[in-house]
Amino acid sequence: MSVEEIKKARSAVEFNREQLESVLRGRFFYAPAFDLYGGVSGLYDYGPPGCAFQANVVDVWRKHFILEEDMLEVDCTMLTPYEVLKTSGHVDKFSDWMCRDLKTGEIFRADHLVEEVLEARLKGDKEARGLSTNNDAEESADKKKRKKKVKQIKVVKLEDDVVKEYETVLAKIDGYSGEELGELMKKYDIGNPATGEPLEPPKAFNLMFETAIGPSGQLKGYLRPETAQGQFLNFNKLLEFNNSKTPFASASIGKSFRNEISPRAGLLRVREFLMAEIEHFVDPLDKSHPKFEDVKHIELSFLPRDVQEAGSTEPIVKTIGDAVASKMVDNETLGYFIARIYQFLVKIGVDASKMRFRQHMSNEMAHYAADCWDAELKTSYGWIECVGCADRSAFDLTVHSNKTKEKLVVRQKLDTPIEVTKFEIDLTKKLFGPKFRKDAPKVESYLLNLSQEELKAKSEELEKNQKIVFKIDAIEGDVELDDKFVKIEERTKVEHVREFVPNVIEPSFGIGRIIYAVFEHSFWNRPEDVARGVLSFPPLVAPSKVLLVPLSNHKDLQPITKEVSKILRKAQIPFKVDDSGVSIGKRYSRNDELGTPFGITIDFESVNDNSVTLRERDSTKQVRGSVEDIINAIREITYNGVSWDEGTKNLEPFVSQ
Amino acid sequence: MSVEEIKKARSAVEFNREQLESVLRGRFFYAPAFDLYGGVSGLYDYGPPGCAFQANVVDVWRKHFILEEDMLEVDCTMLTPYEVLKTSGHVDKFSDWMCRDLKTGEIFRADHLVEEVLEARLKGDKEARGLSTNNDAEESADKKKRKKKVKQIKVVKLEDDVVKEYETVLAKIDGYSGEELGELMKKYDIGNPATGEPLEPPKAFNLMFETAIGPSGQLKGYLRPETAQGQFLNFNKLLEFNNSKTPFASASIGKSFRNEISPRAGLLRVREFLMAEIEHFVDPLDKSHPKFEDVKHIELSFLPRDVQEAGSTEPIVKTIGDAVASKMVDNETLGYFIARIYQFLVKIGVDASKMRFRQHMSNEMAHYAADCWDAELKTSYGWIECVGCADRSAFDLTVHSNKTKEKLVVRQKLDTPIEVTKFEIDLTKKLFGPKFRKDAPKVESYLLNLSQEELKAKSEELEKNQKIVFKIDAIEGDVELDDKFVKIEERTKVEHVREFVPNVIEPSFGIGRIIYAVFEHSFWNRPEDVARGVLSFPPLVAPSKVLLVPLSNHKDLQPITKEVSKILRKAQIPFKVDDSGVSIGKRYSRNDELGTPFGITIDFESVNDNSVTLRERDSTKQVRGSVEDIINAIREITYNGVSWDEGTKNLEPFVSQ
């Protein structure tokens, strides 16, 4: 089979998700965690092939990003104290809205409920108008991810303006506050879809798992919802490690946790998941990237903000170079990472034709973000957000710095000194001790850490009242200081060092979601044997690389089987032996389900001349050669990116008897 | 320098822990987590070199155990529901005893407190008797791990019999219950060591972090205290994956959590840590191991139970073959893993002379365990338990099976059928439906899952009373059944299949502790430059393999530096470039602290003839050759276990100008 023929064969049989899931569970790629105890929704275990696949994806990620770009990898704790996540905004804002049915005890996620009920009504309306509603493929990702709560569509025609209203609401569904969702539920009479009974108004449910650290129970903590905070908190140490040079990036691979309200859809919405995150720290005045040249020719599918606002899902295809040049993508560094994300995803088996980069709408994006693009992968659940790539500006470092009063900045020696005019504060320190005693350092630190805006205000206050009045956490009542204690002036000075808070470009990968997308993109059925599935993983990430099959379990074949095993083990090529009695064909098709790219067949000829047969999974092509040559071909194709044709060009074609 | 000379140099300067810690923190091997927020005790982040070192150790572990032995790796969730850990015994027994000082709010770990106070008194007694107390090196590991709570030793002579009593208590300190510890505190008048005030009696403090899963808050869960449970729960799926063959092993690498009462001692006692665990499932009637032959010559230091009971710490040195033959180590499989643990630890840089295998005393070992040995590594904190290797018998599978009523067994076809006599129960099923309605399946399942002992008892009860009476969780009140419902008989049958619960041999690695021990074992000072430390990691696990240093930052050297970088990157050999202006010597000694084994110097000669200098960290020996030959030597020495002498034999010795 040629590459074209394989391509054709792969799309001949329609994709069947149930069959894929039955393969994935049957071959223990993954399984519901605590199955024996009835399972816990949103928690999954990876079995041997899933675990090996995941480890390989992580390994490729590490080489593609960390090694290639000299990133600084860190491994930070998952347990995180309250204070940190309060400062980052997660305690206040990392929540979904939930509604409880007081009668049944059921809990619904408010935005999903409103979305689903209105969509069901629109569908009923379409049917009533005699229009086709067979547009499942176009449904939004989130909607298809859930088990439907609305079990039956009622065929009821709606007023034309109600249809318009519903459509407007649905277009903005990700941006509503809890109160607004509550109002929508009242206005459109949305209750429990099964019973019609009203629900409690939406309450914020924080998605972080809470726990207590230490024996006193008084130090409240959470399981981290992302790996990013650990990287921000270590910024000063990382900068020092990097000899104070910017730009540089840190990276982290580890588990994060989200207490989803009602997780469904298998590996796509889970409560514990592997993330890989990069924080690239860059000068806000210079977001160019030295290696942008290398990627700017890469063509991608973009779904920018304005296209979405015009109600279209038709992507714009252009090079990342053009996208940055036209300012559609904010800057080179962001563009560079978008292209590198694309390269990574293709390398591990994502179908490039099922990938798009969607820009966040203004109401989705945090106020501080300069730009944000999601790599979305198309699956049978719709388009799924798998990688986020955001320019988070200086937000994270600034909030932690403000909270802890520690500077998180880069100092850059200036080639030509510059004149800077700014407010400065002088303290008459000898007066602070007698007045504030042990609190004196706190008062001084408060004053020395005032921002330029605050200093300006205080300087005006001081001029007007000959004193300033303020409050400090640690001290009861007002603190009052007259102009004997403090002097605030605007001064112009020549500076030799520029100090700045770097901006952060953050590519953030949900490894589990990516893996699931690769499963779907890799799965197909041979037209001649539709009952069996094939997982066409790239050899680089396949859980096992080789299936070693002695033709029969005749004792004469055992020594050479052992010998080949030894050579493969020494070459550190993961392999399995299948010396069960069943037919070669059956053994191979069992392994197609595991995505093993190569098969080595040992026959009686092998005993005589040390030659073996190599089979390729997708084409089922076979070649013959010495054990050494065959293993060498496997190594080249698997780890060095050599094609099958190139890697086997010196081996004999082989036609099985 | 020859190997002997290096060895001599490495022990010339006395080990200084403070200096090591200052290197580890200064070069960001690790740092207290949330430092910016004041830190949280027992939580640490790994910076770039620590993280790379950890990743390399894990990689070696995976190859040494999982790949070599064809183990089935799984990745299970950390979030674990209450039920599972209730069954495993962790909810009831995974705790330490804590005492609170009601006045100050301080919390003490009871066993540590008793131990420390009695030891302080014994020390005071020795001083009063005029005996030397300078035996710090011999102190127990746990004692030295903590910051001392007893700040001052009072010089008071004790009665001779009191000294004896104290010594007896200390020898058994790990085995006391909370009540017993409370009695000891009363008897010996042990209170807050700082104030002398009495403490609350010891209370059990469970060491698991608790959380709630899902929005209702009703599903109680914990963060796993070990990775083992996930492996046990997936036993049936793993067995099926392994084509129902035993023995086989599963393995898992991941974070676990223990809410230590007052963690101290850096990386040795932490609240979140990386574990690597193996569960080897084996026939209880046959614990031989096919590869035991390969390791039986390995000589190890053993501290068996009887030596400890005799009050000695003098190890017995013998081969693992002799240890198993003499039954000191219970069986071949356990012995095989002990030897493989030894090989692994030596491979990653543990000093074999600072390793011993200590057998658990009877009061340390769980009642079900057949045998248990800890690999202990000697550090400046004393002997530290770093790897446990236990034969846990059939305990874990049995308790989960009993709880869930799912069989967790191996079925083995017998070559010759055997006669088996056992109790069997027959149910008259048609009577169950009318009597129990929807509960009928529960009653049937309860009866069909009775053990042989229970069946025997029930058969006697039935014979005596013509009925049996029992309780079932799901049903209120007693369940009564007469002999029309059930028949219980002892029958002799011929069986063709043997069914057994496999035993579990569990090697369990605390990666963080091992890493810290390797840090200590690798650290030394050059006698000629004691201010600077060297970390002599084996190249295989060193964070970075090569430091690339252009002689100066002259522009002529830049192209070849770039060229060599490119070759190293392509060869996937981790390296760093140091083109700072400081002297070569300084750049090398800075990198000795990071444990980088090789340096490549690029000079003006290199530009002409493509030759570079290779420097070895420990001996500071240098050789010269072409870029290709030098990189080839690095690859062979780092990844293929070739010695320096062998790897560089074709290169020219080089003496720096």
Side-chain angles (χ1 to χ4, degrees):
Chain A
M1 269 209 260
S2 68
V3 174
E4 271 315 303
E5 284 168 325
I6 296 173
K7 212 169 161 187
K8 213 172 136 194
R10 281 184 63 166
S11 53
V13 182
E14 207 189 338
F15 173 76
N16 177 336
R17 192 205 300 161
E18 270 171 34
Q19 200 190 357
L20 168 63
E21 279 184 357
S22 134
V23 166
L24 293 176
R25 294 198 183 198
R27 308 309 301 270
F28 201 9
F29 275 85
Y30 74 96
F34 315 109
D35 217 1
L36 211 57
Y37 281 78
V40 175
S41 54
L43 295 182
Y44 293 89
D45 292 341
Y46 283 45
C51 190
F53 188 81
Q54 177 183 262
N56 294 341
V57 167
V58 166
D59 190 51
V60 173
W61 194 90
R62 207 174 243 137
K63 284 173 182 149
H64 184 82
F65 290 104
I66 297 183
L67 276 190
E68 183 64 32
E69 317 275 355
D70 259 337
M71 292 175 180
L72 307 181
E73 189 180 350
V74 294
D75 182 19
C76 304
T77 63
M78 298 170 199
L79 288 164
T80 308
Y82 171 88
E83 277 296 301
V84 170
L85 293 160
K86 176 74 185 170
T87 306
S88 69
H90 286 88
V91 169
D92 296 323
K93 290 186 183 153
F94 193 67
S95 37
D96 283 337
W97 299 98
M98 69 171 186
C99 304
R100 201 186 290 263
D101 181 327
L102 285 178
K103 287 201 183 149
T104 65
E106 275 173 283
I107 292 171
F108 299 91
R109 198 175 133 175
D111 55 342
H112 286 181
L113 182 67
V114 170
E115 187 183 19
E116 214 180 296
V117 169
L118 296 191
E119 278 173 350
R121 289 183 191 168
L122 286 175
K123 211 166 173 178
D125 170 74
K126 271 199 175 164
E127 278 186 41
R129 289 169 193 253
L131 299 167
S132 158
T133 59
N134 229 340
N135 61 343
D136 271 12
E138 298 307 312
E139 279 189 341
S140 84
D142 254 0
K143 197 177 60 179
K144 294 203 72 181
K145 255 181 277 171
R146 302 186 298 278
K147 254 189 212 153
K148 291 288 196 303
K149 296 207 178 73
V150 182
K151 302 291 177 197
Q152 269 193 315
I153 304 294
K154 281 189 203 143
V155 181
V156 178
K157 187 170 177 299
L158 305 169
E159 300 297 323
D160 286 359
D161 55 343
V162 171
V163 170
K164 272 245 166 76
E165 248 184 88
Y166 282 8
E167 282 169 349
T168 315
V169 169
L170 287 172
K172 298 193 289 182
I173 194 71
D174 287 339
Y176 289 110
S177 69
E179 210 175 318
E180 287 165 340
L181 287 167
E183 279 161 19
L184 290 172
M185 289 169 67
K186 252 193 239 157
K187 184 168 174 195
Y188 299 127
D189 193 26
I190 297 174
N192 185 330
T195 64
E197 292 284 335
L199 304 171
E200 273 196 313
K203 269 200 298 207
F205 174 68
N206 193 291
L207 298 178
M208 294 192 293
F209 288 96
E210 192 181 317
T211 192
I213 303 172
S216 72
Q218 280 159 12
L219 183 58
K220 188 158 140 178
Y222 298 98
L223 295 178
R224 68 179 174 200
E226 56 177 29
T227 71
Q229 298 306 322
Q231 299 181 58
F232 298 138
L233 294 185
N234 281 306
F235 173 75
N236 279 344
K237 296 193 180 85
L238 290 164
L239 180 65
E240 191 194 332
F241 188 84
N242 205 48
N243 297 322
S244 303
K245 282 188 213 159
T246 50
F248 75 90
S250 62
S252 195
I253 303 166
K255 293 274 166 80
S256 295
F257 302 81
R258 294 188 192 187
N259 198 3
E260 296 283 351
I261 291 178
S262 59
R264 299 234 166 78
L267 299 181
L268 292 180
R269 191 172 287 277
V270 296
R271 287 175 166 153
E272 183 178 327
F273 48 94
L274 189 65
M275 284 184 104
E277 287 190 302
I278 294 164
E279 311 297 333
H280 182 88
F281 299 97
V282 61
D283 187 338
L285 302 182
D286 178 10
K287 295 186 180 175
S288 65
H289 196 286
K291 285 157 89 178
F292 188 67
E293 274 301 305
D294 301 350
V295 299
K296 70 175 192 185
H297 64 282
I298 294 175
E299 230 175 38
L300 303 170
S301 282
F302 295 98
L303 201 60
R305 197 174 294 142
D306 52 1
V307 170
Q308 296 170 68
E309 277 164 358
S312 164
T313 56
E314 197 56 53
I316 294 176
V317 178
K318 58 162 88 173
T319 65
I320 188 70
D322 289 346
V324 170
S326 66
K327 279 278 158 201
M328 186 172 89
V329 168
D330 187 75
N331 58 69
E332 270 192 9
T333 299
L334 195 62
Y336 178 73
F337 278 112
I338 287 175
R340 293 286 293 162
I341 290 166
Y342 169 89
Q343 290 178 320
F344 167 73
L345 291 174
V346 168
K347 199 184 272 183
I348 62 165
V350 165
D351 179 343
S353 72
K354 292 177 180 167
M355 183 186 339
R356 73 179 184 196
F357 288 87
R358 189 181 71 79
Q359 191 173 31
H360 274 205
M361 314 276 282
S362 2
N363 64 352
E364 277 176 275
M365 209 162 62
H367 64 92
Y368 50 79
D371 196 4
C372 182
W373 293 82
D374 286 341
E376 294 188 330
L377 304 181
K378 193 174 183 181
T379 71
S380 64
Y381 292 99
W383 285 98
I384 304 295
E385 171 202 341
C386 290
V387 187
C389 192
D391 182 335
R392 299 177 57 84
S393 76
F395 176 76
D396 308 276
L397 294 180
T398 306
V399 294
H400 286 301
S401 175
N402 287 346
K403 177 70 191 173
T404 61
K405 304 294 176 204
E406 291 276 350
K407 278 193 170 179
L408 299 171
V409 295
V410 174
R411 288 180 190 84
Q412 196 180 52
K413 202 162 175 267
L414 293 170
D415 292 337
T416 37
I418 47 165
E419 276 199 352
V420 176
T421 302
K422 61 181 180 185
F423 285 92
E424 288 188 338
I425 188 165
D426 302 325
L427 311 183
T428 315
K429 287 217 179 173
K430 64 177 181 198
L431 299 178
F432 279 69
K435 185 173 163 92
F436 296 106
R437 300 183 175 273
K438 70 169 180 25
D439 289 331
K442 283 175 205 152
V443 181
E444 291 173 14
S445 152
Y446 172 84
L447 292 168
L448 293 174
N449 278 295
L450 291 172
S451 68
Q452 282 295 306
E453 291 73 43
E454 289 166 327
L455 280 175
K456 182 161 185 254
K458 288 271 171 265
S459 107
E460 286 159 8
E461 185 183 347
L462 193 62
E463 185 152 355
K464 197 168 142 209
N465 312 332
Q466 277 75 53
K467 67 176 185 185
I468 54 173
V469 182
F470 53 93
K471 281 185 191 302
I472 296 184
D473 275 359
I475 296 174
E476 264 186 58
D478 286 342
V479 179
E480 237 186 77
L481 293 176
D482 63 25
D483 50 16
K484 284 201 266 320
F485 282 79
V486 293
K487 192 154 84 179
I488 306 176
E489 282 185 349
E490 201 170 19
R491 295 173 191 147
T492 298
K493 282 190 175 172
V494 173
E495 292 196 344
H496 300 264
V497 171
R498 178 181 154 232
E499 204 177 84
F500 64 90
V501 181
N503 280 10
V504 170
I505 311 271
E506 180 190 80
S508 169
F509 297 70
I511 300 292
R513 288 184 165 197
I514 294 172
I515 285 177
Y516 179 77
V518 175
F519 288 162
E520 277 208 6
H521 294 188
S522 304
F523 188 70
W524 59 292
N525 306 84
R526 296 196 198 282
E528 67 277 16
D529 183 11
V530 293
R532 286 249 174 212
V534 183
L535 279 166
S536 284
F537 301 134
L540 186 60
V541 289
S544 178
K545 313 304 181 193
V546 181
L547 180 74
L548 192 60
V549 280
L551 195 64
S552 77
N553 43 26
H554 192 284
K555 71 171 177 16
D556 285 358
L557 299 183
Q558 285 169 11
I560 180 158
T561 306
K562 266 203 176 154
E563 184 57 29
V564 178
S565 299
K566 215 170 143 187
I567 298 173
L568 282 167
R569 190 167 286 128
K570 184 142 197 300
Q572 300 193 334
I573 296 173
F575 71 101
K576 297 276 169 210
V577 180
D578 186 350
D579 54 6
S580 66
V582 299
S583 77
I584 291 271
K586 203 156 199 172
R587 280 185 272 172
Y588 275 134
S589 74
R590 264 192 335 211
N591 253 270
D592 290 345
E593 282 188 350
L594 286 172
T596 308
F598 303 110
I600 294 180
T601 313
I602 291 171
D603 52 29
F604 293 96
E605 197 67 18
S606 313
V607 182
N608 298 328
D609 65 359
N610 198 37
S611 73
V612 293
T613 304
L614 176 66
R615 173 207 189 240
E616 199 276 331
R617 174 197 59 210
D618 299 349
S619 63
T620 70
K621 266 187 196 160
Q622 302 198 61
V623 293
R624 185 100 187 172
S626 72
V627 172
E628 289 65 34
D629 288 347
I630 295 284
I631 289 180
N632 200 38
I634 291 172
R635 190 193 292 108
E636 287 300 306
I637 298 169
T638 303
Y639 298 109
N640 297 332
V642 167
S643 70
W644 168 263
D645 286 342
E646 178 66 21
T648 60
K649 68 181 176 199
N650 296 325
L651 297 164
E652 290 295 311
F654 181 82
V655 183
S656 54
Q657 293 79 6
Chain B
M1 269 209 266
S2 69
V3 174
E4 271 314 302
E5 283 167 324
I6 296 173
K7 213 170 162 186
K8 215 171 134 194
R10 281 183 63 166
S11 53
V13 182
E14 208 189 336
F15 173 77
N16 178 335
R17 191 205 300 163
E18 271 171 34
Q19 201 190 357
L20 168 63
E21 280 184 357
S22 133
V23 166
L24 293 177
R25 295 198 184 200
R27 308 307 302 269
F28 201 8
F29 275 84
Y30 73 96
F34 315 109
D35 219 1
L36 211 57
Y37 281 78
V40 176
S41 53
L43 296 181
Y44 293 89
D45 292 341
Y46 283 50
C51 190
F53 189 81
Q54 177 182 265
N56 294 341
V57 166
V58 167
D59 189 52
V60 173
W61 194 90
R62 206 173 243 137
K63 283 174 180 146
H64 185 83
F65 290 105
I66 297 183
L67 275 190
E68 184 64 33
E69 316 277 355
D70 258 337
M71 292 174 178
L72 307 181
E73 189 179 350
V74 293
D75 182 18
C76 304
T77 63
M78 298 170 199
L79 288 165
T80 308
Y82 171 88
E83 276 297 300
V84 169
L85 293 160
K86 176 73 183 171
T87 305
S88 69
H90 286 88
V91 169
D92 296 323
K93 290 186 184 153
F94 193 68
S95 37
D96 283 336
W97 298 99
M98 70 171 185
C99 304
R100 200 185 291 262
D101 183 325
L102 285 178
K103 287 201 183 148
T104 65
E106 275 173 284
I107 292 171
F108 300 91
R109 197 174 133 177
D111 55 342
H112 286 181
L113 181 68
V114 171
E115 188 183 19
E116 213 181 294
V117 169
L118 296 191
E119 278 173 350
R121 289 182 191 168
L122 286 175
K123 212 165 175 181
D125 169 74
K126 271 198 177 168
E127 278 186 39
R129 288 169 192 252
L131 298 167
S132 156
T133 59
N134 228 339
N135 61 344
D136 272 13
E138 299 305 314
E139 279 189 341
S140 83
D142 255 0
K143 197 179 59 179
K144 293 202 70 180
K145 253 181 278 171
R146 301 186 298 278
K147 256 188 213 157
K148 292 287 195 303
K149 298 214 174 68
V150 183
K151 302 290 178 196
Q152 269 193 315
I153 304 293
K154 282 189 203 141
V155 181
V156 177
K157 187 171 177 299
L158 305 169
E159 299 297 323
D160 287 359
D161 54 345
V162 171
V163 170
K164 272 246 167 74
E165 250 186 85
Y166 281 8
E167 282 169 349
T168 315
V169 169
L170 287 173
K172 298 192 289 184
I173 194 71
D174 287 338
Y176 289 111
S177 69
E179 209 175 317
E180 287 165 338
L181 286 167
E183 280 161 18
L184 290 172
M185 289 169 67
K186 251 194 237 157
K187 186 168 172 192
Y188 300 128
D189 193 26
I190 297 174
N192 185 330
T195 63
E197 293 283 335
L199 304 171
E200 276 196 311
K203 270 200 297 205
F205 174 68
N206 194 291
L207 298 178
M208 293 192 294
F209 286 96
E210 192 180 317
T211 191
I213 304 172
S216 73
Q218 280 160 12
L219 183 58
K220 188 158 142 178
Y222 298 98
L223 295 179
R224 68 178 174 199
E226 56 177 29
T227 72
Q229 298 306 320
Q231 300 182 59
F232 299 138
L233 295 185
N234 281 306
F235 173 76
N236 280 343
K237 296 194 180 86
L238 290 164
L239 180 65
E240 191 193 335
F241 187 85
N242 206 48
N243 297 323
S244 304
K245 282 187 215 160
T246 51
F248 75 90
S250 62
S252 195
I253 303 166
K255 293 275 167 79
S256 295
F257 302 82
R258 293 187 193 188
N259 198 3
E260 295 284 350
I261 291 177
S262 59
R264 297 234 167 77
L267 299 180
L268 293 179
R269 190 172 289 277
V270 295
R271 287 175 165 153
E272 182 177 329
F273 49 92
L274 189 65
M275 285 185 103
E277 286 190 303
I278 295 164
E279 310 297 333
H280 181 89
F281 299 97
V282 61
D283 187 339
L285 302 182
D286 178 11
K287 295 186 181 174
S288 65
H289 196 286
K291 286 157 88 178
F292 188 67
E293 274 299 305
D294 301 350
V295 299
K296 71 175 191 183
H297 64 282
I298 294 176
E299 231 175 37
L300 303 170
S301 282
F302 296 97
L303 201 59
R305 197 174 295 142
D306 52 1
V307 169
Q308 297 169 68
E309 276 164 359
S312 165
T313 56
E314 197 56 51
I316 294 176
V317 178
K318 57 162 88 176
T319 65
I320 188 71
D322 288 346
V324 170
S326 65
K327 279 277 155 201
M328 186 172 89
V329 168
D330 188 74
N331 58 70
E332 271 192 8
T333 298
L334 194 62
Y336 178 73
F337 278 112
I338 286 175
R340 293 284 295 160
I341 290 167
Y342 169 88
Q343 289 178 320
F344 166 74
L345 292 174
V346 168
K347 199 183 274 182
I348 62 165
V350 165
D351 179 343
S353 74
K354 293 178 180 166
M355 183 185 342
R356 73 180 183 195
F357 287 86
R358 189 181 71 79
Q359 191 173 31
H360 275 204
M361 313 276 282
S362 1
N363 64 352
E364 278 176 274
M365 208 162 64
H367 63 93
Y368 50 79
D371 196 3
C372 182
W373 292 83
D374 286 342
E376 293 188 330
L377 304 181
K378 194 175 183 179
T379 71
S380 64
Y381 292 98
W383 285 96
I384 305 295
E385 172 203 341
C386 290
V387 188
C389 192
D391 181 336
R392 300 176 56 84
S393 76
F395 176 76
D396 308 277
L397 293 180
T398 306
V399 293
H400 287 300
S401 174
N402 287 346
K403 177 70 190 174
T404 61
K405 303 296 177 202
E406 291 276 351
K407 278 192 171 182
L408 299 171
V409 295
V410 174
R411 287 180 191 85
Q412 195 179 55
K413 202 162 176 268
L414 293 170
D415 292 337
T416 39
I418 47 164
E419 277 198 352
V420 176
T421 302
K422 61 181 182 186
F423 284 92
E424 289 189 340
I425 188 165
D426 303 326
L427 310 182
T428 316
K429 288 219 179 170
K430 64 176 180 199
L431 299 179
F432 278 70
K435 185 172 164 94
F436 296 106
R437 297 178 176 276
K438 72 170 180 18
D439 290 331
K442 283 176 205 151
V443 181
E444 291 173 14
S445 151
Y446 172 84
L447 293 168
L448 293 174
N449 279 295
L450 291 172
S451 68
Q452 282 296 304
E453 291 73 43
E454 290 166 327
L455 281 175
K456 184 165 185 252
K458 287 272 171 262
S459 107
E460 285 159 9
E461 185 184 346
L462 192 63
E463 185 152 356
K464 198 169 140 206
N465 311 332
Q466 276 75 53
K467 65 176 187 187
I468 55 174
V469 183
F470 53 92
K471 281 184 190 304
I472 295 183
D473 275 359
I475 296 174
E476 263 186 59
D478 287 342
V479 178
E480 238 186 77
L481 293 175
D482 64 24
D483 49 15
K484 283 201 269 315
F485 281 80
V486 292
K487 191 154 83 176
I488 306 177
E489 282 184 349
E490 201 170 18
R491 293 172 192 150
T492 298
K493 282 191 175 169
V494 174
E495 291 196 344
H496 299 264
V497 171
R498 180 182 151 231
E499 202 177 86
F500 63 90
V501 182
N503 280 10
V504 170
I505 311 271
E506 179 189 80
S508 168
F509 298 70
I511 300 293
R513 289 183 164 198
I514 294 171
I515 285 177
Y516 179 77
V518 174
F519 288 162
E520 277 208 8
H521 294 188
S522 304
F523 187 71
W524 59 292
N525 307 84
R526 297 198 197 279
E528 68 276 17
D529 183 12
V530 293
R532 285 250 175 211
V534 183
L535 279 165
S536 285
F537 300 135
L540 185 60
V541 289
S544 179
K545 313 304 181 193
V546 181
L547 180 74
L548 191 59
V549 279
L551 195 63
S552 76
N553 43 27
H554 192 284
K555 70 169 180 16
D556 285 359
L557 298 183
Q558 285 170 8
I560 179 157
T561 306
K562 267 204 174 154
E563 184 55 30
V564 177
S565 299
K566 213 170 146 188
I567 299 172
L568 282 166
R569 190 168 285 129
K570 181 140 200 298
Q572 300 194 334
I573 296 173
F575 70 100
K576 298 274 169 209
V577 180
D578 186 348
D579 53 7
S580 66
V582 299
S583 77
I584 292 271
K586 203 156 198 172
R587 281 185 270 171
Y588 275 134
S589 74
R590 262 191 337 209
N591 254 268
D592 289 346
E593 282 188 349
L594 287 172
T596 309
F598 303 110
I600 293 180
T601 313
I602 291 172
D603 51 29
F604 293 96
E605 197 68 18
S606 313
V607 182
N608 297 327
D609 66 359
N610 197 39
S611 74
V612 292
T613 305
L614 176 66
R615 172 206 190 243
E616 199 275 330
R617 174 196 60 209
D618 299 348
S619 62
T620 69
K621 266 187 196 159
Q622 301 197 61
V623 293
R624 185 101 187 172
S626 72
V627 172
E628 289 64 35
D629 289 348
I630 295 285
I631 289 180
N632 201 37
I634 291 171
R635 190 193 292 108
E636 286 300 305
I637 299 169
T638 303
Y639 298 110
N640 296 334
V642 168
S643 71
W644 168 263
D645 287 343
E646 178 64 22
T648 60
K649 68 181 176 201
N650 296 325
L651 299 165
E652 290 295 312
F654 180 82
V655 183
S656 54
Q657 292 79 6

